[in-house]
Amino acid sequence: MLTLLKIRNLALVHELVWELGSGLIGVTGETGAGKSVIVGALKLILGERADKSLIRTGEDSCSVEAVFELSDPAEINAILEDGGLDACDDTQLIVRRVIGTTVNRQFVNDSPVTLSLLKKIGEHLVDLHGPHDHQSLLSTDRQLSMLDAYAGAESALTAYRQTYRAWREKSAELDELRHAESASEQELDLLRYQLEEISNANLKPEDESDLEDRWRRASNASRLLESASAAAAALNGEDGILEKLGEIQRLVRDLQKLDPSITERTGSLETATLELQDLEATLADYVGELEIDPAEAAGLEERVNLIETLKRKYGPSLQDVLARRDAAATRLDNIENRTEKLETLEKELAAARSAVEGSAKTVTAARKKAAPKLAKEIAAQLKDLGFKQSSFEAPLLSLTEPGSQGMESVDFQFGPNPGEPLLPLRQIASSGEISRVMLAVKSALADQDATPLMVFDEIDANVGGEIARAVGRKMAALGTRHQVLAITHFPQVAAIAAHHFVVEKEVTGGRTRSRLYQVTGETRVQELVRMLGGGGEQARAMAVSLLNP
């Protein structure tokens, strides 16, 4: 769950440090008090693009930091590792955004990340819904994913996708060969020439650097021999360094006989002498190994020139040259053996299609079994939310050709009133209705949804009375399996929350700030009274009754 949210210099918020608990968390406050800042901060954490106008007036930057405690970090760790980041050391994940006037940055566990990677991570952390935030629910692809989660069809769908990808790749390969233009004799000659030229070079990418080293050594053998011999002579020749060191050693031994205490100070002389003797021996060996072979140098130079020529023609790298060889070989093979290849590919495509259809049957069976159960569960949830005589169905529509998600689609149908035809969710005009349908779907899928935090931003708009209380109860039920954050104007919802926070504006030092604080006991009663529309004993009694139903 989200355990900590820090906001600094975002809109009206100067500094907020908010520790959150589990269950249903209610956030209330007057219109314009700053509740939307919390949603805005969470959207930044989810990877939405930032607007510099969010920075508090007079400041250079704003920041948002969120600390999540993950019950199972495996899914998040997989995303982190795919993005080249280290996995979480424990179950804690820290996400931070910094929005500046000149540069924006985002971090996960103190490592910089791209916005796209942050968005991918955010999809697994927070599920945010507002009064106009239902596009995912209206998408038939998203509906199909919900049905598959309910059906437990993920493994069957993974197997299907593997066969589907193989079938599509084989189909594309066959189409390419079928529609390939016939090659001219000039193109065939060019392909044969390129293939022969590159193949005859017997290229090995790993030998390139070694070849250049050998050529450089062979072509500079005379200079190497001259320099190494001169260095060896300077060490061990007449009047060389080692001869002088020998004289110094004799003088030092005389000193040591007269004053043994100097022995410790002159020990480095012996070490230096031994090291220089080793160096002289090494140089002598090196001189012995050097061979001046003009023929070898010429051969190596010819080989280096050949590789450079091929890289200029087909490069720029040796890998590009080899890739060109392979492409020419494939193209030539396809042209010269087109008929045989077509027959082989047609057989392979038929086998791939058969595999797709076989794996699709398993997915279809799971969906057909689960669809009526899911529809029945959502319909029951809708009745709890005030749609006493509504109908809900999840009809499966067969596809004529395999698709990326299987051999069928689904289009959730909803009828709020008896006697009226059921309509697809995208045709529901009322935001109040679609909000409650979304809550019903989320409630039905609560056990399959692994998102740690669900945020409902005033989805109880356009409802009231008992329906608002039913919405609150449904959110509270979700709170037993998820952390749920409800930003609401309804006292019926706020009273059901396990934790109740209030956002209000205050003026300090001539500046307006938003602050957030938790209300309990009498303070919470007073906030509910305000939400009910005013003071008086009747409003107070109503507030107390909401807290103690």
Side-chain angles (χ1 to χ4, degrees):
M1 66 180 186
L2 176 64
T3 59
L4 183 68
L5 182 66
K6 293 182 180 180
I7 304 173
R8 186 176 179 83
N9 295 328
L10 182 65
L12 292 178
V13 174
H14 171 57
E15 188 167 10
L16 170 67
V17 179
W18 186 16
E19 295 184 16
L20 292 82
S22 58
L24 175 60
I25 302 166
V27 177
T28 64
E30 294 182 352
T31 301
K35 299 187 298 298
S36 61
V37 177
I38 294 172
V39 176
L42 288 172
K43 286 183 176 180
L44 290 176
I45 292 299
L46 296 180
E48 288 203 8
R49 296 204 171 272
D51 186 344
K52 291 180 176 59
S53 64
L54 293 171
I55 301 173
R56 182 171 167 79
T57 304
E59 302 293 340
D60 295 328
S61 65
C62 64
S63 64
V64 179
E65 182 176 326
V67 179
F68 291 89
E69 192 68 34
L70 307 175
S71 57
D72 182 4
E75 203 166 43
I76 295 295
N77 282 342
I79 298 173
L80 291 175
E81 289 169 351
D82 285 345
L85 300 177
D86 292 333
C88 298
D89 290 334
D90 48 27
T91 57
Q92 191 176 82
L93 183 81
I94 303 173
V95 180
R96 181 162 58 95
R97 290 285 300 274
V98 180
I99 314 302
T101 52
T102 57
V103 65
N104 300 338
R105 293 169 295 166
Q106 44 277 335
F107 305 86
V108 174
N109 289 343
D110 288 329
S111 295
V113 297
T114 62
L115 206 57
S116 60
L117 181 60
L118 182 61
K119 182 169 286 191
K120 189 179 293 187
I121 293 170
E123 290 173 355
H124 294 268
L125 296 175
V126 182
D127 196 355
L128 196 153
H129 299 277
H132 307 291
D133 227 355
H134 308 292
Q135 293 307 309
S136 65
L137 183 62
L138 305 184
S139 162
T140 54
D141 286 343
R142 179 61 181 146
Q143 292 173 13
L144 192 61
S145 297
M146 292 175 178
L147 174 59
D148 288 337
Y150 186 83
E154 288 88 348
S155 59
L157 192 58
T158 299
Y160 168 81
R161 285 173 179 150
Q162 290 174 345
T163 59
Y164 175 78
R165 279 195 298 272
W167 171 66
R168 293 288 295 170
E169 288 169 3
K170 194 61 66 177
S171 179
E173 191 178 347
L174 181 60
D175 286 343
E176 183 180 354
L177 187 58
R178 279 174 175 166
H179 297 100
E181 295 180 3
S182 58
S184 64
E185 194 60 39
Q186 289 89 341
E187 182 186 358
L188 286 171
D189 287 343
L190 177 61
L191 289 169
R192 293 188 187 107
Y193 172 78
Q194 291 175 341
L195 182 59
E196 183 179 4
E197 182 182 33
I198 300 172
S199 297
N200 287 344
N202 294 317
L203 299 175
K204 296 179 181 178
E206 63 273 12
D207 293 342
E208 185 178 11
S209 60
D210 179 60
L211 175 66
E212 290 182 354
D213 289 341
R214 288 169 56 208
W215 170 68
R216 193 177 297 109
R217 183 176 173 181
S219 61
N220 292 290
S222 296
R223 289 180 58 190
L224 292 170
L225 181 61
E226 181 182 343
S227 297
S229 298
L235 284 168
N236 203 28
E238 185 177 346
D239 202 28
I241 293 173
L242 289 174
E243 184 177 318
K244 291 179 180 179
L245 277 176
E247 295 175 4
I248 296 171
Q249 281 180 306
R250 286 191 292 273
L251 293 171
V252 169
R253 290 191 191 103
D254 289 340
L255 285 173
Q256 292 171 347
K257 290 175 183 177
L258 297 172
D259 184 4
S261 66
I262 202 174
T263 302
E264 188 174 336
R265 302 184 190 183
T266 57
S268 57
L269 177 61
E270 295 295 331
T271 302
T273 303
L274 289 172
E275 289 182 352
L276 287 174
Q277 287 172 343
D278 286 343
L279 175 59
E280 188 275 333
T282 300
L283 287 171
D285 291 342
Y286 179 71
V287 168
E289 293 170 4
L290 283 172
E291 294 179 3
I292 300 177
D293 185 348
E296 181 189 8
L300 290 169
E301 183 175 8
E302 184 179 348
R303 178 70 175 168
V304 169
N305 289 337
L306 171 62
I307 291 175
E308 291 302 316
T309 299
L310 292 174
K311 284 163 67 175
R312 282 194 298 272
K313 291 175 70 173
Y314 308 113
S317 71
L318 199 57
Q319 284 75 14
D320 294 322
V321 177
L322 294 171
R324 179 59 195 157
R325 178 200 64 190
D326 295 341
T330 300
R331 170 78 172 145
L332 197 60
D333 185 46
N334 285 342
I335 294 170
E336 294 178 338
N337 303 289
R338 188 171 183 273
T339 303
E340 295 83 350
K341 280 187 166 294
L342 280 173
E343 291 177 357
T344 300
L345 280 174
E346 284 169 354
K347 292 178 181 177
E348 291 175 350
L349 182 64
R353 176 60 182 255
S354 178
V356 170
E357 292 174 349
S359 58
K361 288 178 181 178
T362 305
V363 177
T364 300
R367 288 170 175 170
K368 285 183 176 180
K369 183 178 179 180
K373 292 181 179 179
L374 176 60
K376 184 177 179 181
E377 174 68 21
I378 293 173
Q381 299 286 348
L382 285 167
K383 286 180 171 58
D384 294 341
L385 293 170
F387 294 107
K388 299 298 183 185
Q389 295 180 293
S390 64
S391 300
F392 190 95
E393 293 181 3
L396 292 173
L397 309 172
S398 297
L399 302 178
T400 55
E401 286 292 305
S404 60
Q405 304 300 317
M407 291 289 289
E408 55 276 321
S409 64
V410 70
D411 196 359
F412 288 172
Q413 309 278 312
F414 176 58
N417 303 306
E420 296 295 323
L422 276 70
L423 296 173
L425 294 186
R426 59 185 173 278
Q427 295 182 25
I428 298 174
S430 167
S431 63
E433 285 184 345
I434 192 63
S435 294
R436 282 183 282 164
V437 172
M438 182 274 296
L439 184 56
V441 172
K442 285 291 178 183
S443 298
L445 293 167
D447 289 336
Q448 289 76 34
D449 195 336
T451 309
L453 172 63
M454 291 186 177
V455 180
F456 297 104
D457 181 19
E458 297 185 1
I459 71 157
D460 48 13
N462 303 318
V463 300
E466 274 305 306
I467 294 179
R469 190 167 182 82
V471 167
R473 283 196 297 265
K474 197 63 66 179
M475 289 184 190
L478 274 174
T480 62
R481 286 165 285 187
H482 298 268
Q483 186 185 35
V484 179
L485 178 60
I487 299 171
T488 180
H489 283 293
F490 276 87
Q492 294 95 331
V493 175
I496 295 174
H499 314 279
H500 186 175
F501 292 85
V502 174
V503 179
E504 69 175 15
K505 286 193 295 188
E506 63 180 8
V507 179
T508 305
R511 295 292 303 276
T512 303
R513 297 181 177 182
S514 289
R515 72 184 188 101
L516 177 143
Y517 59 94
Q518 186 168 7
V519 289
T520 58
E522 180 60 27
T523 314
R524 187 175 188 183
V525 172
Q526 290 302 318
E527 173 61 11
L528 294 176
V529 168
R530 181 198 65 77
M531 297 176 74
L532 286 163
E537 288 303 317
Q538 187 174 358
R540 178 181 172 76
M542 175 74 73
V544 171
S545 68
L546 288 175
L547 289 170
N548 302 285

